[in-house]
Amino acid sequence: MILSASRRTDIPNYYSDWLFNRIQEGFLYVRNPMNAHQVSKVILSPEIVDCIVFWTKNPAPMLPRLHELDAYPYYFQFTLTGYGRDIERHIPHKKTVILPIFQQLSHELGADRVIWRYDPIIFTDHYTPDYHIQAFGQIAKALCGHTTSCVISFVDYYVKNQKNMQNLHSYSLAGNDLNAFAKELATIAHSHGISVKTCAESIDLSYYNIGHSCCIDKDLIEKITGCKIHAGKDKNQRKECGCIESIEIGAYDTCQNGCLYCYANHSPKLISQNCGLYDADSPLLCGKLTEKDKITVRKVKSLKETQMTLEGFF
């Protein structure tokens, strides 16, 4: 099994103590977002967990305790953009704080295991294509040698972020304008030894050496683990998403990054209520079990191929 930690919230930034406690105890609980009283118990044995994929904008709280993950293969999807606090409200200063953290994480894990995400890309009167090109170039220069891959995507409109996007007067690029912009990003990245790929985008930018990528990346997981992984496409994601199946361990309405484009938060009030329930010693993230909850042990197994095949012998 592959753990997703997390598409729903920034576990490394805000809930790393909870995660490390869960690993020590060997299990955690996850609520079904479609049925709040349906709770899954997920076993965290290293024999079952093939890889952990972390999403974060600031993994600093995890850095002193990374050694506690030595029994698990893992990598990071690290979002680092050029936005200020008008859009990413609670993220520390990028140049003086976040960039050094990215570089330190890369030093600990290796450049292949820290994926730079410059996404989502939002165009506004302030965050123009020229602004993004300049910001992207500065970050790419600073990350040269600290990552080998950059993932880009363009903002998607959801019910939870549509009002914020309208207030920002955001707009989209298309046709030649989009192609010229993508070409510029690819040229900059490649000059610093970084490949560029899109995430969950249907547009074809292969002419500019921009391929399609995925967050739960089968090829990367096989490279990290040294084993073939027998897993299919994640059917719970969009058609354009290339991720393989995984188990999500986060919870909606718990991320405190305050990003206006977020699809995982409904309101600041709900976030505050949920975060008030956070207990690092609880099996459940930001919540407590009730008498109405039904706990079911999730049936999971390793996805590693253990039997030798003839592939590669001929």
Side-chain angles (χ1 to χ4, degrees), residues 5-52:
S6 156
R7 287 186 174 95
R8 300 172 183 168
T9 191
D10 194 332
I11 288 177
N13 196 0
Y14 299 106
Y15 306 113
S16 61
D17 286 341
W18 172 80
L19 178 67
F20 285 121
N21 288 342
R22 294 296 88 226
I23 286 175
Q24 289 175 5
E25 293 200 33
F27 74 96
L28 56 81
Y29 292 156
V30 181
R31 283 196 186 279
N32 183 338
M34 301 302 173
N35 183 349
H37 294 301
Q38 189 177 78
V39 178
S40 294
K41 181 178 181 179
V42 181
I43 304 301
L44 300 177
S45 165
E47 287 73 34
I48 297 174
V49 177
D50 300 306
C51 190
I52 307 174

Side-chain angles (χ1 to χ4, degrees), residues 95-107:
K95 184 175 181 180
T96 59
V97 179
I98 301 301
L99 271 171
I101 291 171
F102 193 114
Q103 293 165 345
Q104 181 181 351
L105 182 64
S106 173
H107 178 74

Side-chain angles (χ1 to χ4, degrees), residues 46-189:
E47 287 73 34
I48 297 174
V49 177
D50 300 306
C51 190
I52 307 174
V53 181
F54 293 105
W55 278 263
T56 187
K57 290 184 172 71
N58 182 10
M62 287 188 70
L63 294 181
R65 302 182 66 178
L66 286 177
H67 63 278
E68 296 181 39
L69 297 174
D70 285 350
Y72 301 87
Y74 63 93
Y75 65 94
F76 280 80
Q77 297 274 351
F78 195 136
T79 298
L80 178 49
T81 69
Y83 299 122
R85 291 191 173 179
D86 56 333
I87 289 185
E88 295 178 343
R89 291 177 172 173
H90 301 146
I91 306 301
H93 194 275
K94 306 296 178 60
K95 184 175 181 180
T96 59
V97 179
I98 301 301
L99 271 171
I101 291 171
F102 193 114
Q103 293 165 345
Q104 181 181 351
L105 182 64
S106 173
H107 178 74
E108 296 282 345
L109 304 184
D112 289 343
R113 291 171 62 190
V114 188
I115 312 301
W116 171 31
R117 300 186 69 90
Y118 190 89
D119 80 312
I121 298 173
I122 305 169
F123 298 111
T124 69
D125 290 342
H126 177 66
Y127 296 105
T128 63
D130 286 341
Y131 177 97
H132 280 293
I133 289 169
Q134 182 178 5
F136 186 89
Q138 291 176 357
I139 298 172
K141 181 178 180 181
L143 296 185
C144 181
H146 298 286
T147 187
T148 60
S149 180
C150 175
V151 175
I152 64 171
S153 72
F154 300 93
V155 68
D156 290 307
Y157 294 84
Y158 301 91
V159 173
K160 294 181 180 180
N161 72 3
Q162 190 168 13
K163 184 177 180 180
N164 288 337
M165 293 301 99
Q166 290 174 346
N167 291 339
L168 289 171
H169 303 290
S170 64
Y171 63 90
S172 301
L173 293 185
N176 292 334
D177 291 335
L178 178 60
N179 291 337
F181 176 78
K183 178 182 178 181
E184 193 69 28
L185 295 190
T187 300
I188 292 169

